């Protein structure tokens, strides 16, 4: 049989993978193969329907990875959702388009990632974006923007769903949150995220359908003869050259599909874009990782990087539900992003001091639960960066998503920067086995406290007029079941029995200097390899306050330029 060979082989045709595939195949002399376990969802109504959030969950396009039992959170498992389709998780997500706070991206450079700061990433946020100016009707319902923050010529349609929730709502929210010290933020995407905002979505505002990575970066380009996507094809591991040069050289990827097992060869690079759960697992299956873990499964160590799979950061999501007194039609787009000062008021310095004094202990716990991979000093430095972001820079502390739908008014919320650090590691040499995913939710009391403190802030907002006038009883958890003055143990029990993952895993192949525990360099190349990169959510070293796709698209755009420069293509 003839053995196919491409310049670049990309593992994962998801959010990040399709960006890189698109950009590299702009040059028709360059051949690109994308290996994707899923299939087309172009006309799947569970994907396209802008009000269909959740309908794809549990279907065959949801990986639905079970986590390990969460020992700090009552012992249950969570379901980590992720899309299995051309377009990846962007085909099943909540579509919110929010970037990050500027100083969070600046922090990437401060810890040693040369060239990564808000200013240098900003042109890639706009390069990826096709901002759709809201209509007068959408503006009357709260859509707002500064055009200088947006790109109008990119691939990804960003805008508002055609029908936003009733126009009466925003002024009432604004009056309410102003009394709590949270101002209106006209545009959350300029690097300043704090406030009440009507965020845009990844949506095609004209067709009123979901805009996912495939619609943006693949379908319009599917006829490029130098771009090949292999669907229903599972990547097992990287295949290395036999030479014994100091850097490991990838020659291709072993894949499995209905035709059996074969190798797809790469003459230039293998690029991992399988997401924050799978990319570190593929590295381990390929012999890149912690020797103690690899040896357990008789995998030959190709590159010793013990931190592969460590540094997993996700958030925890919870909800409060009210009866609505008004009837709400349309798609809700309002979020509240309070800073720590706004949330804690005069108590903020106590909270800051408590967290500061706990961080040495937190660092010990993380180091001890990292299979010997994470050093206390490195994680303590990361915690200091995080403490500064929260308490000095006052990045948003939580996101509170307001969901007035028909006759109910629900809230989903998550503290944005928990201190828990977990990991993802293979638990078998069989590539088809789901890795052990252990986010360590509520590893630290501060993470639990934050969840409770934000819930109390939400209750305060909903008992403040005019918002209070719009709702009836809180039916979940309900004041009878969980009074405001309930003891901490009851609040904690409620949090642990009701939370879910926020589906924002990052950090499992962190971009950091190698001596600081990094897996990839500032060009996203895996240390110790000549030609393997990771380009997905795994490389984000510190959790960001935006939803993830906006940042992932920008990172993928930026690394595409770096790869093109490297090969002069
Ligand atoms: P993915 O997009 O997941 O791409 C990975 C691809 O690799 C997938 O297509 C997968 O099928 C494929 N793959 C994996 N393993 C293999 C293998 N072995 N062989 C071949 N292919 C493989 N972000 C937002 O910005 N806004 C939101 O509102 C939002 N809501 C969310 C709601 C949910 C339910 C979820 C799950 C996530 C949400 N996110 C949201 C997060 C965001 O969608 C993801 O972080 C992002 O899409 C991840 O991009 P990625 O490129 O890292 O991985």
């Amino acid at each position: 049989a003839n053995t196919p060979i491409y310049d670049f082989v990309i593992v994962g045709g998801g959010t990040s993978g399709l960006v890189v595939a698109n950009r590299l195949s702009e040059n028709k002399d360059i051949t690109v193969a994308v290996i994707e376990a899923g299939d087309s969802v172009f006309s799947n109504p569970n994907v396209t329907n802008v009000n269909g959030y959740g309908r794809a969950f549990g279907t065959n396009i949801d990986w639905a990875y079970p986590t390990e039992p969460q020992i700090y959170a009552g012992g249950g498992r969570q379901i980590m959702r992720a899309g299995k389709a051309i377009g990846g998780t962007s085909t099943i997500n909540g579509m919110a388009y929010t970037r990050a706070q500027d100083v969070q991206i600046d922090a990437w450079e401060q810890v040693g990632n040369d060239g990564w700061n808000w200013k240098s990433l900003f042109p890639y946020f706009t390069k990826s974006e096709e901002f759709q100016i809201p209509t007068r009707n959408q503006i009357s319902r709260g859509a707002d923007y500064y055009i200088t923050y947006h790109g109008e010529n990119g691939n990804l349609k960003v805008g508002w769903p055609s029908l936003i929730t009733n126009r009466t709502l925003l002024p009432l929210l604004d009056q309410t949150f102003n009394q709590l010290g949270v101002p209106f933020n006209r545009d959350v995407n300029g690097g300043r995220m704090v406030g009440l905002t009507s965020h845009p979505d990844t949506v095609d505002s004209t067709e009123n359908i979901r805009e996912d990575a495939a619609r943006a970066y693949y379908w319009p380009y599917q006829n490029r003869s130098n771009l090949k996507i292999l669907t229903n094809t599972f990547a097992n591991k990287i295949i290395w050259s036999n030479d014994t040069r100091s850097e490991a050289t990838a020659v291709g990827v072993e894949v499995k599909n209905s035709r059996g097992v074969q190798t797809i060869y790469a003459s230039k690079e293998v690029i991992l874009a399988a997401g924050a759960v799978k990319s570190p697992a593929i590295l381990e299956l390929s012999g890149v990782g912690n020797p103690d873990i690899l040896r357990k499964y008789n995998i030959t160590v190709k590159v010793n990087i013990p931190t592969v799979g460590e540094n997993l950061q996700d958030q925890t999501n919870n909800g409060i539900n009210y009866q609505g007194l008004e009837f709400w039609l349309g798609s809700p787009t309002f979020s509240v992003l309070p800073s720590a000062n706004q949330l804690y008021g005069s108590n903020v310095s106590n909270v800051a001091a408590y967290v500061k004094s706990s961080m040495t202990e937190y660092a010990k716990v993380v180091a001890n639960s990292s299979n010997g991979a994470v050093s206390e000093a490195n994680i303590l430095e990361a915690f200091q960066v995080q403490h500064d972001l929260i308490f000095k820079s006052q990045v948003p502390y939580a996101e509170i998503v307001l969901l007035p739908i028909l006759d109910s008014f629900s809230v989903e919320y998550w503290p944005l920067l928990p201190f828990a650090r977990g990991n993802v590691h293979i638990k078998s040499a069989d590539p088809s086995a789901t890795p052990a995913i252990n986010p360590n939710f509520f590893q630290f009391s501060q993470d639990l406290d934050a969840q409770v403190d934000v819930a109390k802030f939400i209750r305060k907002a909903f008992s403040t007029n005019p918002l209070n006038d719009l709702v009836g009883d809180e039916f979940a958890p309900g004041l009878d079941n969980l009074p405001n003055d309930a003891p901490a143990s009851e609040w904690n029990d409620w949090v642990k029995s009701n939370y879910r993952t926020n589906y924002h895993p990052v950090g499992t192949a962190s971009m950091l200097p190698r001596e600081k525990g990094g897996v990839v360099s500032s060009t996203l190349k895996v240390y110790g390899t000549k030609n393997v990169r990771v380009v997905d959510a795994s490389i984000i070293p510190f959790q960001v306050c935006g939803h993830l796709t906006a940042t992932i698209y920008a990172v993928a755009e930026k690394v595409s330029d770096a790869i093109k420069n490297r090969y002069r293509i």
Side-chain angles (χ1 to χ4, degrees):
N2 50 355
T3 44
I5 176 154
Y6 299 87
D7 290 304
F8 296 93
V9 174
I10 299 175
V11 176
T15 315
S16 54
L18 292 181
V19 177
V20 177
N22 178 303
R23 293 302 176 202
L24 296 181
S25 63
E26 281 176 340
N27 182 330
K28 61 181 183 349
D29 298 330
I30 296 299
T31 54
V32 178
V34 177
I35 298 161
E36 171 52 50
D39 207 334
S40 168
V41 291
F42 185 81
S43 44
N44 181 334
N46 294 335
V47 171
T48 51
N49 183 342
V50 291
N51 293 318
Y53 181 62
R55 288 190 199 174
F57 295 178
T59 70
N60 65 346
I61 67 163
D62 175 9
W63 286 96
Y65 304 118
T67 70
E68 296 300 290
Q70 290 304 286
I71 58 169
Y72 304 101
R77 292 178 199 268
Q78 287 284 317
I79 300 292
M80 187 74 87
R81 306 204 179 277
K84 182 182 186 180
I86 305 179
T89 304
S90 72
T91 67
I92 67 163
N93 75 7
M95 303 193 308
Y97 180 87
T98 64
R99 294 168 181 170
Q101 183 98 350
D102 49 8
V103 286
Q104 297 190 288
I105 308 295
D106 293 343
W108 297 4
E109 183 163 68
Q110 279 155 27
V111 296
N113 297 304
D114 289 344
W116 289 87
N117 53 56
W118 176 258
K119 210 169 156 231
S120 67
L121 197 58
F122 188 79
Y124 292 106
F125 282 116
T126 55
K127 181 177 185 185
S128 64
E129 184 184 20
E130 183 190 334
F131 184 70
Q132 303 155 102
I133 307 281
T135 61
R136 287 172 67 148
N137 182 281
Q138 288 168 323
I139 290 171
S140 75
R141 290 162 186 256
D144 207 342
Y145 63 100
Y146 292 109
I147 197 62
T148 52
Y149 295 171
H150 296 280
E152 293 180 271
N153 304 313
N155 290 57
L156 181 76
K157 292 190 167 72
V158 173
W160 283 265
S162 57
L163 190 63
I164 305 176
T165 309
N166 312 20
R167 78 181 66 219
T168 46
L169 186 57
L170 177 64
L172 303 176
L173 294 175
D174 193 20
Q175 283 174 47
T176 305
F177 284 97
N178 249 310
Q179 293 171 65
L180 302 178
V182 183
F184 182 60
N185 184 355
R186 284 183 57 184
D187 191 332
V188 71
N189 282 311
R192 299 296 162 93
M193 300 189 70
V194 170
L196 161 70
T197 199
S198 168
H199 64 75
D201 288 335
T202 45
V203 66
D204 180 330
S205 299
T206 313
E207 302 288 330
N208 204 39
I209 54 174
R210 172 192 296 271
E211 175 79 345
D212 55 45
R215 277 198 149 72
Y217 285 92
Y218 179 68
W219 294 119
Y221 309 89
Q222 60 176 312
N223 291 329
R224 285 183 185 168
S225 59
N226 58 332
L227 172 60
K228 169 92 179 156
I229 187 157
L230 293 105
T231 54
N232 300 302
T233 301
F234 190 91
N236 285 343
K237 60 182 177 184
I238 299 167
I239 303 296
W240 306 100
S241 87
N242 289 327
D243 70 30
T244 48
R245 270 181 287 180
S246 58
E247 287 186 314
T249 306
V251 295
V253 177
E254 182 189 286
V255 305
K256 189 174 176 205
N257 57 25
S258 59
R259 291 180 299 281
V261 175
Q262 73 174 130
T263 298
I264 309 297
Y265 288 94
S267 61
K268 292 192 167 63
E269 292 197 1
V270 168
I271 297 171
L272 299 185
V277 169
K278 281 295 191 55
S279 286
I282 293 170
L283 286 174
E284 291 184 335
L285 291 162
S286 312
V288 180
N290 185 341
D292 291 344
I293 294 171
L294 304 189
R295 276 190 210 113
K296 267 195 248 173
Y297 307 108
N298 291 321
I299 296 170
T300 310
V301 179
K302 192 75 188 171
V303 185
N304 175 348
I305 310 181
T307 48
V308 169
E310 297 296 329
N311 200 38
L312 171 62
Q313 299 160 67
D314 191 7
Q315 299 144 331
T316 53
N317 182 304
N318 216 327
I320 298 182
N321 302 299
Y322 295 86
Q323 248 132 27
L325 298 181
E326 303 236 347
F327 199 74
W328 305 106
L329 285 173
S331 313
T333 60
F334 296 112
S335 282
V336 185
L337 295 136
S339 66
N341 278 355
Q342 291 164 357
L343 198 109
Y344 287 111
S346 57
N347 198 32
V348 70
S349 48
N350 290 334
V351 178
Y354 166 73
V355 175
K356 184 132 243 172
S357 69
S358 310
M359 286 185 336
T360 315
E361 181 56 29
Y362 291 177
K364 278 205 181 76
V365 173
V366 170
N368 285 338
S369 61
S370 71
N371 310 291
V374 175
S375 88
E376 255 176 76
N378 283 339
I379 188 65
L380 188 58
E381 183 185 344
F383 284 161
Q384 263 144 10
V385 169
Q386 181 164 320
H387 192 276
D388 284 351
L389 289 169
I390 296 171
F391 295 106
K392 281 198 185 132
S393 306
Q394 293 286 320
V395 305
Y397 188 73
E399 175 157 349
I400 301 165
V401 178
L402 303 173
L403 298 166
I405 299 173
L406 305 180
D407 59 358
S408 78
F409 202 135
S410 304
V411 175
E412 272 189 17
Y413 74 93
W414 54 96
L416 287 157
L417 300 176
F419 284 82
R421 295 294 183 271
N423 44 45
V424 178
H425 293 295
I426 51 168
K427 50 181 176 185
S428 162
D430 173 5
S432 67
T434 299
I437 305 167
N438 186 14
N440 282 324
F441 290 126
F442 307 123
Q443 189 173 31
F444 301 118
S445 57
Q446 168 60 19
D447 298 345
L448 206 49
D449 291 351
Q451 195 84 25
V452 173
D453 298 336
V454 178
K456 289 182 175 168
F457 179 83
I458 292 166
R459 278 188 167 172
K460 195 163 135 200
F462 276 80
S463 59
T464 302
N465 276 328
L467 180 53
N468 181 243
D469 285 340
L470 300 178
V471 297
D473 287 344
E474 177 193 302
F475 62 85
L479 290 168
D480 291 342
N481 295 329
L482 187 64
N484 267 335
D485 59 0
S489 60
E490 283 178 27
W491 274 97
N492 293 349
D493 286 348
W494 171 71
V495 167
K496 290 179 187 177
S497 54
N498 281 284
Y499 87 101
R500 64 164 172 81
T501 137
N502 201 40
Y503 311 128
H504 285 179
V506 300
T508 48
S510 277
M511 172 177 69
L512 284 170
R514 195 168 183 177
E515 67 279 9
K516 290 192 180 176
V519 174
V520 300
S521 72
S522 58
T523 58
L524 308 190
K525 208 167 79 166
V526 177
Y527 291 117
T529 74
K530 185 167 166 280
N531 60 346
V532 177
R533 281 181 228 253
V534 184
V535 299
D536 57 32
S538 325
I539 71 93
I540 295 176
F542 308 133
Q543 186 60 267
V544 291
C545 292
H547 295 241
L548 293 175
T549 57
T551 298
I552 290 170
Y553 284 118
V555 166
E557 288 278 12
K558 185 166 152 73
V559 73
S560 297
D561 268 3
I563 298 169
K564 285 168 136 179
N565 282 339
R566 157 75 179 75
Y567 295 96
R568 301 178 198 281
I569 56 179

